Amino acid sequence: MSRYAYVNGNFTRFNQAKVHIEDRGLQFGDSVYEVWAAKDGVLLDDIGHLHRLSRSLGMLRIELPLPLGSLKPIIGNLLRLNRVKNGLVYLQITRGVAPRDHPFPKNATPTIIITVRPKNYAQLEAKAQKGIKIVTKKDLRWKRVDIKTTNLLPNLLAKQEAIDEGAEDVWFFDDNGKITEGSAQNAWILNKEGNLQTRGLGEDILGGITRSTIMALAKKLNLKIVEKPFSVQEAIEAREAFVTSATSFVTAVVEIDGRPIGNGNVGSVATILRKAYFEN
Ligand SMILES: Cc1ncc(COP(=O)(O)O)c(C=O)c1O
């Protein structure tokens, strides 16, 4: 159980932590967020996530009211206060509080919220060893999903539909039938030629921090990477499929739209990359 949250400069008892009813994050989703995994007290890919946060804020023209560099010690303090060494850190920054009106308010101070939550890595590992089933759905999100905003309604609806259909998650496809990404993960395959394939960066996917770390690790392991969109059919016919994110690390996809991927078991390349991520 979390005991403390960070809200606008204060470490507050979790069950008393509050933001204003006219916060623009609440009213418009006028906010950005980041998620880090903490493992053995270490914040994974800390710099990458901070850089992306800074970019997201810049794209929305939200000015951070404190130096970016001060966030890491604040997160460290929050983890210690909650006695969490293994867990997830959630940070959200909104444009702030103002009477409800679409234009940017002149004098609002951004709201900063940070929460942490413990995670049982042994349980996660057991789950990852089974892999996940996914279904594909049309990508109905807005056209700037490269910005990590809290506008996640299409992701939530699609994920719930996937769960209702007996899968664990969803991969979105674009108007050309090519996979963009998952509801909260980047999508990868080991294609028929034996190369790793994932969509290239653009406005239609989030530039995953885990994606770029895995890319660097794969290069070190002499795996060839192709940054090119792939179709639903190519995914179904792939040797392996997997997702990457700060919450799933590298997790194999064993079934897409009811069809087994490869032999229907967790693939060896996904396993190697997951291991490499933790040893990195
Ligand atoms: C839509 C989407 N794509 C990809 C990712 C993976 O990003 P990261 O590896 O930085 O967690 C996320 C993470 O939340 C996401 O929401």
Side-chain angles (χ1 to χ4, degrees):
M1 253 277 288
S2 298
R3 295 149 22 110
Y4 292 94
Y6 174 92
V7 185
N8 293 332
N10 301 306
F11 294 99
T12 312
R13 287 217 166 262
F14 187 80
N15 50 12
Q16 286 161 15
K18 288 183 179 57
V19 292
H20 195 278
I21 57 166
E22 285 204 304
D23 193 288
R24 289 176 65 96
L26 175 64
Q27 293 190 325
F28 298 117
D30 190 1
S31 64
V32 300
Y33 76 108
E34 268 305 327
V35 177
W36 288 258
K39 189 152 191 288
D40 303 324
V42 177
L43 216 48
L44 305 186
D45 287 328
D46 54 337
I47 305 294
H49 286 279
L50 278 176
H51 280 158
R52 186 174 61 192
L53 175 67
S54 171
R55 175 181 183 273
S56 303
L57 288 166
M59 301 301 290
L60 264 56
R61 293 193 274 150
I62 295 177
E63 232 169 273
L64 189 63
L66 43 76
L68 194 68
S70 61
L71 289 177
K72 198 178 158 191
I74 292 172
I75 293 170
N77 283 340
L78 191 62
L79 285 166
R80 273 188 292 281
L81 270 175
N82 285 290
R83 301 202 190 109
V84 172
K85 289 200 158 147
N86 293 302
L88 285 181
V89 177
Y90 176 80
L91 176 150
Q92 184 178 346
I93 302 180
T94 82
R95 198 178 303 280
V97 177
R100 189 183 181 284
D101 200 6
H102 285 197
F104 296 172
K106 294 234 159 27
N107 298 313
T109 305
T111 301
I112 308 182
I113 305 160
I114 314 175
T115 53
V116 302
R117 148 159 52 123
K119 270 230 161 188
N120 182 329
Y121 278 91
Q123 253 174 29
L124 268 185
E125 208 44 53
K127 224 177 131 200
Q129 285 187 10
K130 287 201 210 142
I132 57 167
K133 295 177 184 171
I134 60 131
V135 286
T136 60
K137 295 197 181 286
K138 190 163 168 44
D139 198 337
L140 296 176
R141 302 173 301 161
W142 77 315
K143 295 194 171 93
R144 289 305 307 272
V145 295
D146 58 312
I147 312 171
K148 199 166 168 69
T149 75
T150 55
N151 290 272
L152 295 172
L153 199 50
N155 310 49
L156 313 190
L157 291 172
K159 172 127 183 173
Q160 189 57 49
E161 278 177 29
I163 291 170
D164 294 344
E165 289 164 25
E168 270 103 3
D169 221 311
V170 56
W171 277 9
F172 295 121
F173 56 82
D174 64 16
D175 290 342
N176 301 315
K178 306 274 187 183
I179 299 294
T180 51
E181 60 183 336
S183 70
Q185 318 86 6
N186 289 112
W188 299 68
I189 56 170
L190 183 70
N191 65 21
K192 282 203 241 175
E193 290 75 43
N195 299 323
L196 285 175
Q197 190 171 345
T198 191
R199 196 176 178 106
L201 294 181
E203 294 179 355
D204 42 16
I205 64 165
L206 183 73
I209 304 305
T210 321
R211 175 189 180 279
S212 55
T213 301
I214 288 299
M215 211 162 255
L217 289 172
K219 279 183 193 150
K220 271 198 212 159
L221 292 167
N222 290 325
L223 293 164
K224 194 170 167 220
I225 301 162
V226 190
E227 286 187 80
K228 191 176 151 206
F230 53 86
S231 66
V232 175
Q233 196 54 34
E234 282 172 288
I236 288 169
E237 290 168 5
R239 294 187 193 176
E240 292 187 28
F242 61 92
V243 292
T244 58
S245 71
T247 51
S248 66
F249 310 114
V250 177
T251 297
V253 170
V254 292
E255 192 183 293
I256 300 177
D257 291 341
R259 310 266 297 275
I261 304 306
N263 60 10
N265 293 321
V266 169
S268 56
V269 172
T271 304
I272 289 167
L273 289 172
R274 183 175 174 93
K275 198 158 163 264
Y277 184 76
F278 289 126
E279 286 168 0
N280 160 37

